[in-house]
Amino acid sequence: MLLGCLAVMLALVAEAQARQAPLRVFFVDVEGGQATLFVAPSGTSLLIDTGWPGNQGRDADRIVRAAHSAGLDKLDFVLLTHYHVDHAGGIPQLVGKIPVGTFIDHGLNRELDHGITEKDYADYQQVLAAGKYRHLVAQPGEKLPIPGLDVTVISADGREIAQPLAGAGQANPYCAASEVRADDQTENGRSLGVEVVFGGLKILDLGDLTWDKERTLMCPVNKLGRVDILVVSHHGWYQSSSPALVDAIQPRVAIMDNGESKGGSVATLKTLRAAPGLETLWQLHFSAEGGAAWNTDEPHIANLPGTDVGNDLELDAWATGRFTVKNSRTGSVQTYAERP
Ligand SMILES: [Zn+2]
């Protein structure tokens, strides 16, 4: 009887501790590619994109370093937003350095006139053909079967959610002033984009989804509602981040995975810095194009010119809606209280 009570109490304590543990997100510096590692309180891990190939395994090493710092010895899920070299190119090196459970992607590569992309895709197919991994193809609107993480697919293979997310669907006043652009024909527009919800917090990562696809997602009605943390699309390049998206979702924090000379366009920096409700723009790198005028302030940049050792940014998020962002260059941590 006593032992039974003790077991119940221990289970309750463990449950309470799990509730208090943060969702951890590591924005790994892969020099203008993407590699974003989510670690749920349960320990389940999801890596979004794998960075570049080559460079003596630099990006795989940086991802593994982040995984080890989170106490992981494997990656449960690796999601590829699309097959461009700065996202999918790092797969062969990564699987040589850390075990992977399941790969998730948007299906076939459809960019058949681009040699580097075709090579990356072929290399990835060879990795899958080894038969060591589960493989899932994601569809817009579905929840990914990742235990302990609430991940909804927003876009995949050029298609998007047909219905607004719960609580969204309001008319979007920012469509009128947002320029209409031609359809993107590359893998960018086929990006597998997701929203991760943790308690009261929403994190949006649309990969390199392009301006035209933002419009179909966000106009005439805003199908996403408000977002707390925006992983800036396409490394902050001007081909994404229309006002129709950025202004309407009103992120408190935007985190840009740019390189010094890749992404971080002036037009995008301007849009982000003027976005309603934005408290902080964080950047993985100082953008050479942005210069002194348009980059965010230095404490919010992980890598300054000439000092590139691959510093990352680390987000810890609690289910209450409170979160912190740490700049590993300085060690400083900024806290964001729950939304009032
Ligand atoms: Zn990219």
mmCIF file of all heavy atoms in Angstrom, residues 32-34 49 52 81-82 84-87 188 207-208 233-235 257 262, ligand 1:
data_model
loop_
_atom_site.group_PDB
_atom_site.id
_atom_site.type_symbol
_atom_site.label_atom_id
_atom_site.label_comp_id
_atom_site.label_asym_id
_atom_site.label_seq_id
_atom_site.Cartn_x
_atom_site.Cartn_y
_atom_site.Cartn_z
ATOM 1 N N GLY A 32 24.499 30.236 -43.719
ATOM 2 C CA GLY A 32 23.513 30.609 -44.725
ATOM 3 C C GLY A 32 22.698 29.454 -45.261
ATOM 4 O O GLY A 32 21.943 29.621 -46.217
ATOM 5 N N GLY A 33 22.826 28.274 -44.634
ATOM 6 C CA GLY A 33 21.897 27.175 -44.916
ATOM 7 C C GLY A 33 20.957 27.065 -43.730
ATOM 8 O O GLY A 33 20.860 27.994 -42.919
ATOM 9 N N GLN A 34 20.264 25.922 -43.600
ATOM 10 C CA GLN A 34 19.446 25.729 -42.399
ATOM 11 C C GLN A 34 19.800 24.442 -41.681
ATOM 12 O O GLN A 34 20.063 23.405 -42.311
ATOM 13 C CB GLN A 34 17.938 25.727 -42.708
ATOM 14 C CG GLN A 34 17.123 25.682 -41.377
ATOM 15 C CD GLN A 34 15.616 25.818 -41.533
ATOM 16 O OE1 GLN A 34 15.106 26.028 -42.627
ATOM 17 N NE2 GLN A 34 14.898 25.701 -40.428
ATOM 18 N N ASP A 49 16.453 20.254 -41.488
ATOM 19 C CA ASP A 49 17.523 20.484 -42.476
ATOM 20 C C ASP A 49 18.923 20.224 -41.931
ATOM 21 O O ASP A 49 19.156 20.244 -40.723
ATOM 22 C CB ASP A 49 17.418 21.868 -43.102
ATOM 23 C CG ASP A 49 16.228 21.964 -44.054
ATOM 24 O OD1 ASP A 49 15.817 20.920 -44.585
ATOM 25 O OD2 ASP A 49 15.715 23.080 -44.246
ATOM 26 N N TRP A 52 25.083 22.291 -45.420
ATOM 27 C CA TRP A 52 25.805 22.059 -46.677
ATOM 28 C C TRP A 52 26.658 20.783 -46.613
ATOM 29 O O TRP A 52 27.055 20.363 -45.529
ATOM 30 C CB TRP A 52 26.773 23.206 -46.930
ATOM 31 C CG TRP A 52 26.191 24.578 -46.998
ATOM 32 C CD1 TRP A 52 25.867 25.385 -45.936
ATOM 33 C CD2 TRP A 52 25.874 25.339 -48.168
ATOM 34 N NE1 TRP A 52 25.376 26.591 -46.383
ATOM 35 C CE2 TRP A 52 25.382 26.590 -47.751
ATOM 36 C CE3 TRP A 52 25.985 25.073 -49.543
ATOM 37 C CZ2 TRP A 52 24.986 27.580 -48.647
ATOM 38 C CZ3 TRP A 52 25.587 26.060 -50.435
ATOM 39 C CH2 TRP A 52 25.090 27.304 -49.986
ATOM 40 N N THR A 81 13.270 20.389 -45.570
ATOM 41 C CA THR A 81 12.257 21.305 -46.112
ATOM 42 C C THR A 81 12.186 21.170 -47.630
ATOM 43 O O THR A 81 11.110 21.186 -48.210
ATOM 44 C CB THR A 81 12.558 22.763 -45.726
ATOM 45 O OG1 THR A 81 13.838 23.137 -46.236
ATOM 46 C CG2 THR A 81 12.521 22.950 -44.214
ATOM 47 N N HIS A 82 13.376 21.040 -48.257
ATOM 48 C CA HIS A 82 13.450 20.870 -49.711
ATOM 49 C C HIS A 82 14.864 20.409 -50.056
ATOM 50 O O HIS A 82 15.680 20.226 -49.156
ATOM 51 C CB HIS A 82 13.041 22.157 -50.441
ATOM 52 C CG HIS A 82 13.920 23.338 -50.179
ATOM 53 N ND1 HIS A 82 14.109 23.870 -48.921
ATOM 54 C CD2 HIS A 82 14.673 24.112 -51.013
ATOM 55 C CE1 HIS A 82 14.925 24.914 -48.996
ATOM 56 N NE2 HIS A 82 15.284 25.073 -50.253
ATOM 57 N N HIS A 84 17.417 21.697 -51.922
ATOM 58 C CA HIS A 84 18.562 22.561 -52.267
ATOM 59 C C HIS A 84 19.752 22.233 -51.368
ATOM 60 O O HIS A 84 19.602 21.779 -50.223
ATOM 61 C CB HIS A 84 18.161 24.034 -52.167
ATOM 62 C CG HIS A 84 17.402 24.524 -53.366
ATOM 63 N ND1 HIS A 84 16.705 25.706 -53.395
ATOM 64 C CD2 HIS A 84 17.252 23.969 -54.602
ATOM 65 C CE1 HIS A 84 16.153 25.867 -54.587
ATOM 66 N NE2 HIS A 84 16.457 24.821 -55.339
ATOM 67 N N VAL A 85 20.940 22.527 -51.912
ATOM 68 C CA VAL A 85 22.182 22.027 -51.324
ATOM 69 C C VAL A 85 22.431 22.550 -49.904
ATOM 70 O O VAL A 85 23.070 21.874 -49.091
ATOM 71 C CB VAL A 85 23.364 22.338 -52.270
ATOM 72 C CG1 VAL A 85 23.580 23.851 -52.410
ATOM 73 C CG2 VAL A 85 24.644 21.653 -51.831
ATOM 74 N N ASP A 86 21.918 23.740 -49.581
ATOM 75 C CA ASP A 86 22.155 24.308 -48.252
ATOM 76 C C ASP A 86 21.210 23.747 -47.191
ATOM 77 O O ASP A 86 21.285 24.121 -46.023
ATOM 78 C CB ASP A 86 22.048 25.843 -48.305
ATOM 79 C CG ASP A 86 20.731 26.327 -48.903
ATOM 80 O OD1 ASP A 86 20.214 25.681 -49.827
ATOM 81 O OD2 ASP A 86 20.222 27.367 -48.441
ATOM 82 N N HIS A 87 20.323 22.837 -47.613
ATOM 83 C CA HIS A 87 19.371 22.213 -46.689
ATOM 84 C C HIS A 87 19.548 20.697 -46.627
ATOM 85 O O HIS A 87 19.525 20.108 -45.551
ATOM 86 C CB HIS A 87 17.930 22.543 -47.109
ATOM 87 C CG HIS A 87 17.644 24.004 -47.058
ATOM 88 N ND1 HIS A 87 16.924 24.590 -46.048
ATOM 89 C CD2 HIS A 87 18.030 25.021 -47.883
ATOM 90 C CE1 HIS A 87 16.872 25.903 -46.252
ATOM 91 N NE2 HIS A 87 17.525 26.183 -47.357
ATOM 92 N N ASN A 188 12.359 25.862 -53.792
ATOM 93 C CA ASN A 188 12.040 26.754 -52.669
ATOM 94 C C ASN A 188 10.536 26.786 -52.390
ATOM 95 O O ASN A 188 10.096 26.662 -51.248
ATOM 96 C CB ASN A 188 12.528 28.180 -52.954
ATOM 97 C CG ASN A 188 14.041 28.283 -52.972
ATOM 98 O OD1 ASN A 188 14.711 27.594 -52.213
ATOM 99 N ND2 ASN A 188 14.574 29.133 -53.831
ATOM 100 N N GLY A 207 10.857 26.998 -44.028
ATOM 101 C CA GLY A 207 11.988 26.692 -44.919
ATOM 102 C C GLY A 207 12.269 27.883 -45.820
ATOM 103 O O GLY A 207 12.402 29.011 -45.340
ATOM 104 N N ASP A 208 12.361 27.630 -47.123
ATOM 105 C CA ASP A 208 12.633 28.711 -48.079
ATOM 106 C C ASP A 208 11.370 29.057 -48.874
ATOM 107 O O ASP A 208 11.446 29.510 -50.024
ATOM 108 C CB ASP A 208 13.759 28.303 -49.050
ATOM 109 C CG ASP A 208 15.125 28.329 -48.375
ATOM 110 O OD1 ASP A 208 15.202 28.646 -47.181
ATOM 111 O OD2 ASP A 208 16.123 28.008 -49.062
ATOM 112 N N SER A 233 12.080 32.987 -43.158
ATOM 113 C CA SER A 233 12.176 32.133 -44.342
ATOM 114 C C SER A 233 13.386 32.503 -45.196
ATOM 115 O O SER A 233 13.751 33.684 -45.301
ATOM 116 C CB SER A 233 10.908 32.286 -45.198
ATOM 117 O OG SER A 233 9.774 31.864 -44.477
ATOM 118 N N HIS A 234 13.976 31.476 -45.808
ATOM 119 C CA HIS A 234 14.943 31.681 -46.893
ATOM 120 C C HIS A 234 16.142 32.533 -46.461
ATOM 121 O O HIS A 234 16.646 33.343 -47.235
ATOM 122 C CB HIS A 234 14.214 32.354 -48.074
ATOM 123 C CG HIS A 234 14.769 31.981 -49.408
ATOM 124 N ND1 HIS A 234 14.134 32.284 -50.573
ATOM 125 C CD2 HIS A 234 15.911 31.353 -49.755
ATOM 126 C CE1 HIS A 234 14.850 31.857 -51.598
ATOM 127 N NE2 HIS A 234 15.928 31.272 -51.115
ATOM 128 N N HIS A 235 16.556 32.373 -45.192
ATOM 129 C CA HIS A 235 17.764 33.055 -44.687
ATOM 130 C C HIS A 235 17.664 34.583 -44.759
ATOM 131 O O HIS A 235 18.667 35.282 -44.737
ATOM 132 C CB HIS A 235 19.008 32.568 -45.452
ATOM 133 C CG HIS A 235 18.904 31.130 -45.858
ATOM 134 N ND1 HIS A 235 18.961 30.120 -44.932
ATOM 135 C CD2 HIS A 235 18.664 30.537 -47.062
ATOM 136 C CE1 HIS A 235 18.781 28.965 -45.565
ATOM 137 N NE2 HIS A 235 18.587 29.179 -46.832
ATOM 138 N N ASP A 257 18.397 32.705 -40.117
ATOM 139 C CA ASP A 257 19.563 31.822 -40.292
ATOM 140 C C ASP A 257 20.338 32.235 -41.545
ATOM 141 O O ASP A 257 20.529 31.448 -42.464
ATOM 142 C CB ASP A 257 19.149 30.341 -40.316
ATOM 143 C CG ASP A 257 17.970 30.057 -41.217
ATOM 144 O OD1 ASP A 257 17.622 30.926 -42.048
ATOM 145 O OD2 ASP A 257 17.379 28.969 -41.099
ATOM 146 N N LYS A 262 25.023 35.593 -47.445
ATOM 147 C CA LYS A 262 23.885 34.841 -48.000
ATOM 148 C C LYS A 262 22.652 35.133 -47.157
ATOM 149 O O LYS A 262 22.639 34.894 -45.947
ATOM 150 C CB LYS A 262 24.165 33.339 -48.003
ATOM 151 C CG LYS A 262 23.056 32.545 -48.665
ATOM 152 C CD LYS A 262 23.524 31.156 -49.041
ATOM 153 C CE LYS A 262 22.412 30.351 -49.676
ATOM 154 N NZ LYS A 262 21.358 29.981 -48.718
HETATM 155 ZN ZN ZN B 1 18.159 27.871 -48.419
#
